[in-house]
Amino acid sequence: MGHGPKEMFSDIERVCGTVERVTFQSPESGFCVLRVRTKQGTLMTVVGTAPEINEGVMVDATGQWVQDSKFGRQLKADQLLISQPASIDGMERYLASGLVPGIGPAFAERLINAFGTDVFEVIENEPERLLEVDGIGRGRYQKILAAWSEQKTVRDIMVFLQGHGISTGLAARIYKEYGNESVERVSRDPYALARDLRGVGFIMADRIARNLGFAQDSADRVAAGVEHVLQEISREGHTSYARNDLQKRAVELLEVGPEAVRQAVDTGLAQGRLVQVEKVDQVALLVHHRAEKELARDLLRLANAMAFKVTADPDQAVAWVEGETGLVLAQGQKRALHLALAHRLVVITGGPGVGKTTLLNSILKIHLAKNRKVVACAPTGRAARRLSETTGLQARTIHRLLDFNPGTGGFRHHRENPLKGDVFVVDEFSMVDAKLAWQLVRALPENASVLLVGDVDQLPSVGPGRVLGDIIDSGRLPVARLDEVFRQAARSAIVTNAHRINAGQAPLPGGRGSAADLEDFYFIEKDDPDAIADLVIDLVAERLPARLDVDPIEDIQVLTPMKRGELGAVNLNLRLQKVLNPHGTSIVRQGVCWREGDKVMQTINNYDKDVFNGDIGVVEKVDAAQEELLVRFDRQSVAYDLTELDELMHSFAISIHKSQGSEFPVVVMPLHTQHYMLLQRNLLYTGVTRGRRLVVLVGSRRAVQLAVRQTDSRLRVTMLKNFLTWEN
């Protein structure tokens, strides 16, 4: 041993030695904590990722030293190379580690005594000699050979992958995905990594492919590049794209000639991976084309079906509802109720305060009186909870309603196994993208009655498509648009200003004049970004909790137009974490500090964990030893290991896009001209309508004016409207 602190805590970035103990290893992610004995005898802690690891193996780890508050000095390994043990002690420890079922310390010692340092050579090349060892019969012999072969395969795969510029962590994920076919699959088509493994984009797959010798103009590379461009286009909300524009973007990305790209598009079309949209010169990925085309067909089928027979006189139904509820419906609501009783599918749209909820409850009351089963759903957990509160029904998210099947990678409910129910209500439909809308509608039973409720003037869905807008613009489906603001709602400055914004008028600043003057909406004018950020922090941490008796983490939500920049979600989250949750057990991953008590949001749909994009929770536990977070969402606690933290983001502040479908007691929204590219009317309108009790805008008057004036110039390229129009 004999080595002091200087060796232990020097700034080296490499540790080589024998694994003395595997303190922890996750079979799912491959994350491991190892105690490694160096050749000098020093015992060190190494953390990293490997597909399988056993005591006794040799490791060569490179990375960065970190000081863990609980576990001390650790080497966080970016690269973890594993090789067979070289010493007698290492070989014995390796064989005794549980590598082979039935070989414990006693049999490991017998093997070492029988063959010494040649034990691995014997297993590899003269395995029949194992039968010479007392106690090893045919059964144990076969187990040893099988386990050895599997370990050798894993090692060979890791050596191959790491030899071509693939990190240990990614190599472990590749092995988990492809198993023993990893080398063959990656060698044949490295670009498949971008399709099969989340977080591996085209750029990373392209780098691996170039290391494997793929030429810049290889057909595989150009084909993958074209699909990558279409995927990037879909992230902008488009479901298809003009062929010429697609080819230009692909030429720029790939730095190849236009003929190679044209051929790749032709090949993709011929193989069915890409689709030429009929009647227009548009190209789409198969999944988006199929979703919009089949969605159009199913919507029209529902709309044209015979409606439930409620009453010969719809005015009688209106009078009955008014008598039951004690409410008097406005003329627009009565017309909409007539429409809903006359058609099997109806769209209900309108801004805040126009009576959508009253209308919906009136329609449902009639159906429930006829003993019809009503099923309610919404795109997000928060939206589903709000729907439950306003209707008294047990609403679920669309994903939970459709019920994900891990075995097939799809939903359990679909055309062949439809949902059960008579009347289906889908709230916040403006944020449902084309693929999810298709999956939901094709799972509805043939006799279903459907109410699609949403505000078409809000931001469109985060995912590709413009479903609600396309349905309304097509003119092919029954639409009830409510536009009369009720007197009680008109007293709310949030409602008043939302409608002003939607009409292209600047919001009234609030907080002035009589007691009746705009008390739930304030605009605080500041021009300097530093001053805006400081005031946002002060409002959230001090002023608003003191004045309104609200919890700054649970009740106040900061909404911002963008992620980056001084007033972006990333920076505001850092600052808000420091003042709202500065203490407690924490863990740092890729420069991000995760702490018990942090407010976080799920950023992708994870069907295995039953959490979905937009779900907000709180970190209730940080396990630094296993590098794991436990996050409490509304209905459940969910564990995240080291490799899954990229599914989460801090959500003290979130983008306005991420707030869709949610409602918060208090909203604080910074606006500045540095957000210029994102300042749009529907963005400001969406942000303002997220607040229930109070909305505070903090920023420059010019930014507000720009947002009000600018309608979205970047219209989405979608085909649902066309398909609805073209269908007979």
Side-chain angles (χ1 to χ4, degrees):
M1 308 277 281
H3 294 274
K6 185 172 182 182
E7 182 197 345
M8 285 288 289
F9 299 104
S10 64
D11 229 0
I12 63 170
E13 297 181 354
R14 185 177 185 185
V15 168
C16 301
T18 302
V19 175
E20 191 158 293
R21 187 171 76 251
V22 180
T23 303
F24 171 78
Q25 180 157 36
S26 165
E28 288 79 24
S29 66
F31 173 75
C32 55
V33 180
L34 311 174
R35 294 288 280 167
V36 177
R37 181 80 65 183
T38 67
K39 292 178 181 178
Q40 294 78 20
T42 304
L43 195 60
M44 295 182 173
T45 300
V46 174
V47 298
T49 307
E52 293 179 29
I53 202 162
N54 295 86
E55 293 174 3
V57 299
M58 300 290 293
V59 295
D60 185 345
T62 55
Q64 295 293 322
W65 286 105
V66 297
Q67 183 71 35
D68 186 273
S69 58
K70 188 174 180 181
F71 298 97
R73 187 78 159 171
Q74 300 177 337
L75 184 81
K76 279 188 171 289
D78 300 316
Q79 197 79 345
L80 197 58
L81 302 175
I82 304 166
S83 57
Q84 287 185 10
S87 66
I88 283 284
D89 179 65
M91 291 178 178
E92 185 172 347
R93 188 183 293 273
Y94 181 68
L95 292 169
S97 67
L99 166 70
V100 181
I103 291 190
F107 270 106
E109 185 178 0
R110 290 184 197 178
L111 289 169
I112 291 296
N113 288 339
F115 305 115
T117 55
D118 294 331
V119 64
F120 291 164
E121 183 71 21
V122 169
I123 297 173
E124 185 80 38
N125 298 313
E126 300 177 89
E128 66 281 356
R129 291 186 60 192
L130 295 174
L131 296 169
E132 300 170 11
V133 178
D134 186 36
I136 296 183
R138 279 287 167 186
R140 199 183 301 271
Y141 167 75
Q142 293 295 339
K143 286 181 179 179
I144 293 173
L145 292 193
W148 188 262
S149 175
E150 182 179 347
Q151 286 290 312
K152 184 176 185 299
T153 299
V154 172
R155 285 196 306 273
D156 290 346
I157 289 169
M158 294 298 286
V159 168
F160 170 83
L161 295 175
Q162 291 172 338
H164 289 90
I166 298 174
S167 69
T168 306
L170 178 55
R173 290 177 59 203
I174 292 171
Y175 179 74
K176 182 181 176 183
E177 180 72 23
Y178 298 146
N180 291 345
E181 297 178 359
S182 297
V183 171
E184 190 270 330
R185 295 276 294 271
V186 173
S187 298
R188 185 181 76 244
D189 185 10
Y191 295 102
L193 296 172
R195 298 189 295 272
D196 298 341
L197 273 69
R198 189 181 59 81
V200 179
F202 172 80
I203 303 303
M204 185 184 295
D206 192 36
R207 186 175 68 244
I208 294 167
R210 303 304 291 275
N211 281 333
L212 287 165
F214 280 69
Q216 181 163 324
D217 61 351
S218 74
D220 287 337
R221 178 175 186 268
V222 180
V226 168
E227 289 190 40
H228 168 71
V229 170
L230 275 173
Q231 291 286 3
E232 289 296 302
I233 287 167
S234 73
R235 291 188 183 96
E236 298 167 14
H238 309 299
T239 56
S240 63
Y241 215 61
R243 174 163 178 158
N244 283 342
D245 293 338
L246 166 65
Q247 291 177 174
K248 286 177 185 175
R249 285 180 64 159
V251 166
E252 290 175 9
L253 169 73
L254 299 168
E255 297 181 335
V256 296
E259 180 60 23
V261 171
R262 188 190 64 75
Q263 288 180 1
V265 173
D266 286 342
T267 301
L269 293 170
Q271 294 175 347
R273 291 179 289 106
L274 309 179
V275 179
Q276 178 80 45
V277 183
E278 60 200 69
K279 301 186 182 180
V280 291
D281 191 24
Q282 302 277 349
V283 176
L285 291 170
L286 176 61
V287 64
H288 297 146
H289 179 265
R290 183 184 177 196
E292 289 190 307
K293 192 173 181 64
E294 292 192 14
L295 174 60
R297 190 174 300 149
D298 289 341
L299 287 170
L300 290 169
R301 174 182 55 79
L302 282 167
N304 293 329
M306 183 70 72
F308 285 125
K309 189 69 175 174
V310 176
T311 174
D313 184 359
D315 287 329
Q316 271 188 348
V318 171
W320 179 82
V321 164
E322 289 181 330
E324 288 289 310
T325 61
L327 298 172
V328 178
L329 299 180
Q331 287 304 311
Q333 291 174 313
K334 290 179 181 178
R335 286 193 297 271
L337 194 147
H338 285 194
L339 199 66
L341 297 180
H343 297 276
R344 206 178 274 278
L345 182 145
V346 172
V347 175
I348 299 172
T349 189
V354 297
K356 292 195 300 294
T357 299
T358 299
L359 170 63
L360 177 61
N361 283 333
S362 298
I363 297 169
L364 296 182
K365 198 166 191 67
I366 294 171
H367 283 300
L368 290 169
K370 296 291 183 178
N371 294 318
R372 296 192 180 108
K373 181 182 178 182
V374 178
V375 179
C377 63
T380 67
R382 283 178 172 259
R385 285 198 300 277
R386 285 174 54 208
L387 184 58
S388 295
E389 292 164 3
T390 57
T391 63
L393 299 169
Q394 183 60 50
R396 286 174 283 176
T397 64
I398 296 171
H399 298 90
R400 291 190 176 105
L401 177 67
L402 293 174
D403 191 10
F404 184 71
N405 182 352
T408 63
F411 291 116
R412 295 184 194 276
H413 292 290
H414 41 72
R415 205 177 303 282
E416 288 72 37
N417 181 32
L419 295 161
K420 290 180 172 57
D422 301 313
V423 181
F424 290 81
V425 178
V426 190
D427 200 13
E428 295 287 355
F429 195 65
S430 65
M431 64 180 299
V432 178
D433 62 39
K435 185 178 177 183
L436 184 59
W438 165 57
Q439 290 167 322
L440 172 63
V441 172
R442 75 184 186 132
L444 297 176
E446 283 190 15
N447 64 345
S449 182
V450 186
L451 298 168
L452 304 176
V453 185
D455 185 348
V456 73
D457 295 316
Q458 288 185 20
L459 288 167
S461 58
V462 174
R466 183 179 168 268
V467 178
L468 183 58
D470 281 351
I471 288 174
I472 293 172
D473 291 348
S474 74
R476 292 294 307 275
L477 303 174
V479 176
R481 183 188 278 272
L482 303 179
D483 53 16
E484 179 185 345
V485 179
F486 285 81
R487 185 178 302 168
Q488 184 176 356
R491 296 193 189 107
S492 163
I494 294 173
V495 172
T496 299
N497 280 324
H499 285 279
R500 286 180 63 87
I501 291 165
N502 208 23
Q505 300 172 327
L508 299 172
R512 299 173 185 170
S514 69
D517 185 22
L518 304 183
E519 291 297 328
D520 61 356
F521 182 98
Y522 290 84
F523 171 52
I524 304 174
E525 188 172 356
K526 295 254 180 224
D527 288 321
D528 179 61
D530 281 333
I532 295 171
D534 290 344
L535 182 54
V536 166
I537 304 303
D538 188 38
L539 284 166
V540 174
E542 302 291 342
R543 294 195 201 180
L544 295 177
R547 181 174 173 183
L548 302 176
D549 190 27
V550 292
D551 185 287
I553 295 178
E554 289 286 330
D555 299 324
I556 302 176
Q557 185 61 59
V558 176
L559 303 181
T560 179
M562 62 197 303
K563 290 172 61 178
R564 303 296 172 189
E566 196 168 2
L567 296 172
V570 174
N571 184 55
L572 290 174
N573 270 315
L574 287 172
R575 294 192 59 180
L576 286 165
Q577 184 191 44
K578 286 179 182 177
V579 297
L580 297 179
N581 193 34
H583 307 297
T585 307
S586 65
I587 189 172
V588 178
R589 170 69 171 162
Q590 294 180 338
V592 179
C593 176
W594 304 92
R595 184 173 288 129
E596 288 178 1
D598 280 350
K599 187 177 181 180
V600 296
M601 175 183 277
Q602 176 76 12
T603 61
I604 66 166
N605 294 331
N606 188 319
Y607 299 99
D608 294 331
K609 294 183 184 295
D610 197 30
V611 288
F612 303 100
N613 189 3
D615 287 352
I616 291 178
V618 174
V619 178
E620 62 180 3
K621 184 180 179 183
V622 173
D623 189 331
Q626 298 189 14
E627 300 217 357
E628 182 179 85
L629 298 186
L630 198 64
V631 179
R632 180 68 190 175
F633 292 100
D634 180 46
R635 305 189 314 164
Q636 59 183 334
S637 293
V638 179
Y640 293 80
D641 67 31
L642 185 74
T643 65
E644 297 171 323
L645 295 184
D646 59 351
E647 294 186 15
L648 295 173
M649 58 175 277
H650 284 96
S651 62
F652 302 103
I654 60 176
S655 70
I656 296 172
H657 282 84
K658 285 288 186 184
S659 74
Q660 289 175 263
S662 298
E663 188 178 73
F664 309 98
V666 179
V667 164
V668 178
M669 189 171 5
L671 283 179
H672 192 267
T673 50
Q674 66 178 211
H675 300 144
Y676 178 80
M677 293 300 293
L678 293 170
L679 292 177
Q680 305 284 344
R681 185 183 299 170
N682 59 359
L683 181 129
L684 179 57
Y685 173 79
T686 300
V688 168
T689 54
R690 298 309 88 202
R692 183 170 67 244
R693 182 175 171 186
L694 176 68
V695 172
V696 183
L697 296 186
V698 183
S700 71
R701 187 172 299 276
R702 172 152 176 74
V704 174
Q705 290 170 340
L706 281 170
V708 167
R709 198 162 57 234
Q710 294 184 149
T711 54
D712 195 347
S713 58
R714 297 160 299 169
L715 292 177
R716 294 186 171 193
V717 181
T718 61
M719 295 306 300
L720 178 60
K721 175 184 173 182
N722 300 65
F723 291 144
L724 286 167
T725 305
W726 295 337
E727 282 282 341
N728 295 324

